[in-house]
């Protein structure tokens, strides 16, 4: 929903609810997260009491007549909110209308990229292998810094067979979207389409990511890129590879692959994590929750960039033109803020 | 523009462009910001070189035929981008249509709040002072944690005279918006409307906040809330107040007032800051820039919340109902991420 506030919230600022606790909160910086968290919890307890007190005070303060006026204002608010729902529906229709208009362009793009349709003025003197645009999607994906981060050298071999990426809505008024990756026949897996679906629900006027599901990849024997260490040769003896692995930072490089994107953490895994967390102490628990959130957040980020940036502007990513217009790098800075990233203003 | 990516970017993640520098970057955490910044600068230098190299490589690799195909893809991209502009225009019209439909509701709300129109079923037995809804806007504003943070006890006295808040577009295809605060005759200043205007421009397909301007407030003598220390009595001797000020954390409390919102940092002030920065060393310069950005960001945040949350749902803020549905508090956590704050999904 367009109602969300900008993500510019600083923990120091969000607490000013109870005047009595502001000064207290100001006194600590953001350096000691655990101490802050304890104080924060206490402040939140105070805040809940204060919220209830405040509501009671407001209700108490209202004379019967003021209460009647407020009731009429609530009716007006309901009419406003109904209009807002109409707006959201109209907005959805508008988006669908334009998405339909984009489709023939994407289709034509795909036909040229994959050599199904030839463009005018092509000289036929070159080899018969000269069809389409080789490595189009692989190049487009690796031009984006954030997506590129996911792709190791072995992944690149498989992504050479990527023919197209599409996205679609979930239909039936379901919120969220589905990404479809179309693959040519390839030596890595038998699937011709890999999908990733994000289910979003509306909670208190805000979009909440419910879950993400992906295609189970049917890897050919010995070709599972989630089990092949980055940089290793496929033919390498297992033992040898293990020795290599010990030498490096296994933690990060071992199973790091773009194709992990299609097997997001499933519910069973989450539950296991929860059980594990229970036996750990609270701080570790906080950290596990935070890691999980970061991981979900990052997973969604990848999908969102592919849907919003890569698919609509694939040729600009392929040629590298999109790299400069992407301002991701300017977002850097532990406390520099994102002033350039202004939410939709009007 | 709807093209912006979600603000989920972690400095550790945005660098994976040049494969050679990833591992290097991974080795440091986010604890030592200054060291990170130095490394980051170096990485950025490498990245720029790499970007240019990459582009040259792509161009070099393209055969004449591939180049011709890419040229056709670029034409297709242009048609796509034209459609996108049409979408943005249609979206703007849709928003304007609904904004017009909201206006009569806001007008009726204002008439009831200020006692210009009476609702049905009011018992006339109460005092003649019983008109409208006292402190409606003050209560609504202080219900929001972030806005409440801006409002000190003296401000509250002045904000009791706030009759209405409206917003409008800038017109003439200008991006941005203007907030209007309507005040009753009051003992603090002679203005009847205080405004705050945000000018937004489009840069590389992204909205950028250009500047913010506000009304110069005509304070009555001795009533300037920007010069009165929070918590001090108006009648207090100046000397006495100064002694008090020394006792407390002056930095934060002295000129902290909601009405500072109407006198945002002007260009002259910014230039002065820049000159000051030049004589300081680079690290301080970084920190000054970062402070300025935080301050601009915070200023915009206040305006955005008033436009997007307070104005459309004023009665829910007044009664406190909006407090619970506002999930701001859940955004807390140095590294917990904002997974609940999913960008518009489809």
């Amino acid at each position: 929903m367009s109602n969300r506030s900008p993500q510019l919230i600083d923990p120091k600022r969000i607490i000013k609810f109870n005047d009595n606790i502001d000064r207290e909160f100001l006194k600590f910086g953001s350096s000691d997260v655990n101490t802050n968290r304890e104080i924060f919890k206490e402040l939140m307890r105070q805040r809940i009491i204060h919220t209830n007190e405040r509501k009671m005070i407001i209700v108490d303060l209202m004379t019967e007549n003021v209460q009647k006026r407020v009731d009429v204002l609530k009716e007006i608010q309901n009419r406003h909110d109904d209009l807002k729902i109409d707006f959201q529906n109209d907005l959805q229709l508008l988006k669908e209308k334009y998405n339909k208009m984009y489709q023939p362009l994407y289709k034509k793009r795909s036909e040229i990229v994959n050599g199904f349709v030839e463009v005018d003025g092509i000289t036929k003197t070159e080899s018969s292998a000269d069809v389409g645009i080789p490595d189009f999607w692989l190049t487009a994906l690796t031009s984006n810094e954030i997506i590129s981060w996911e792709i190791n050298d072995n992944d690149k071999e498989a992504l050479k067979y990527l023919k197209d990426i599409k996205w679609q809505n979930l239909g039936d008024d379901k919120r969220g979207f589905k990404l479809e990756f179309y693959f040519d026949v390839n030596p890595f897996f038998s699937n011709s389409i890999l999908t990733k679906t994000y289910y979003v629900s509306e909670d208190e006027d805000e979009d909440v990511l419910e879950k993400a599901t992906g295609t189970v990849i049917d890897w050919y024997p010995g070709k599972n890129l989630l089990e092949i260490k980055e940089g290793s040769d496929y033919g390498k003896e297992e033992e040898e590879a293990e020795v290599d692995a010990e030498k490096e930072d296994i933690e990060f490089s071992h199973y790091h692959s773009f194709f992990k994107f299609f097997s997001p953490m499933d519910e069973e895994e989450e539950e296991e994590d929860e059980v594990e967390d229970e036996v750990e102490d609270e701080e570790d628990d906080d950290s596990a929750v935070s890691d999980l959130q970061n991981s979900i957040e990052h997973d969604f980020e990848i999908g969102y960039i592919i849907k919003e940036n890569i698919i609509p502007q694939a040729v600009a990513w392929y040629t590298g033109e999109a790299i400069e217009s992407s301002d991701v790098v300017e977002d850097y800075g532990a406390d520099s803020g994102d002033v350039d990233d202004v939410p939709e203003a009007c």
Side-chain angles (χ1 to χ4, degrees), chain A residues 167-329:
Chain A
W167 73 267
Q168 51 176 287
N169 287 317
L170 302 188
D172 292 337
D173 292 330
K174 278 194 215 110
R175 305 178 69 80
F177 63 94
K178 181 183 185 180
L179 292 171
E180 295 172 328
F181 295 72
Y182 291 78
F183 280 87
D184 219 335
V185 174
N186 70 74
F188 295 89
F189 46 79
S190 59
N191 317 58
S192 54
I193 309 174
L194 301 181
T195 68
K196 174 77 176 261
T197 309
Y198 295 98
Y199 297 89
V200 172
S201 67
E202 200 183 337
D203 181 33
E204 294 281 6
D205 216 23
E206 228 181 17
D207 279 354
V208 177
L209 185 62
E210 286 277 297
K211 63 171 178 173
T213 59
T215 301
V216 176
I217 304 177
D218 295 321
W219 298 102
Y220 291 123
K223 292 294 189 180
N224 189 334
L225 293 169
L226 304 179
E227 290 174 359
I228 294 167
K229 202 181 76 63
E230 181 177 358
S232 72
D233 299 327
Y234 300 115
K236 228 180 211 177
E237 291 299 317
E238 217 173 285
E239 214 175 323
E240 202 183 325
E242 268 177 36
V243 174
D244 276 10
E246 276 171 23
K247 284 182 196 158
E248 293 180 34
D249 186 346
I250 307 170
E251 193 72 33
F252 238 86
S253 61
H254 197 26
Y255 296 116
H256 191 72
S257 160
F258 177 73
F259 291 91
K260 208 173 181 334
F261 180 64
F262 299 100
S263 46
M265 185 174 280
D266 59 25
E267 279 174 35
E268 210 176 304
E269 229 177 297
E270 270 180 62
E271 274 169 34
E272 272 173 36
D273 278 359
E274 274 168 33
V275 172
E276 273 174 37
D277 288 346
E278 275 170 30
V279 297
E280 288 168 0
D281 69 43
E282 207 187 327
E283 268 178 46
D284 281 356
D285 185 58
D286 279 0
S287 144
V289 169
S290 148
D291 285 352
L292 178 65
Q293 278 191 330
N294 278 336
S295 144
I296 294 169
E297 181 188 299
H298 179 61
D299 179 75
F300 183 76
E301 185 183 15
I302 300 295
Y304 187 80
I305 290 170
I306 291 172
K307 170 180 175 280
E308 290 288 319
N309 299 104
I310 307 293
I311 295 176
Q313 296 186 287
V315 69
W317 286 108
Y318 173 79
T319 61
E321 283 162 71
I323 299 172
E324 276 171 8
S325 66
S326 127
D327 287 326
V328 175
V329 158

Side-chain angles (χ1 to χ4, degrees), chain A residues 97-108:
Chain A
K97 176 184 151 192
Y98 276 91
N99 282 338
K100 272 189 193 135
M101 290 161 87
Y102 295 145
Q103 294 316 310
L105 301 177
Y106 292 156
K107 185 167 177 280
K108 198 156 190 176

Side-chain angles (χ1 to χ4, degrees), chain A residues 12 21-29:
Chain A
K12 283 204 300 299
I21 61 185
D22 300 338
R23 296 286 167 264
E24 204 57 45
F25 201 75
L26 265 177
K27 280 173 194 156
F28 58 88

Side-chain angles (χ1 to χ4, degrees), chain A residues 1 6 16 29 34 37 55 62 78 127 145 166 185 224 263 270 289 295 313 315 332:
Chain A
M1 309 295 284
K16 167 78 184 201
N34 285 323
R37 193 160 289 173
K55 276 198 191 169
M62 279 198 244
N78 288 340
S127 83
E145 291 93 327
K166 297 181 184 177
V185 174
N224 189 334
S263 46
E270 270 180 62
V289 169
S295 144
Q313 296 186 287
V315 69
Y332 175 75

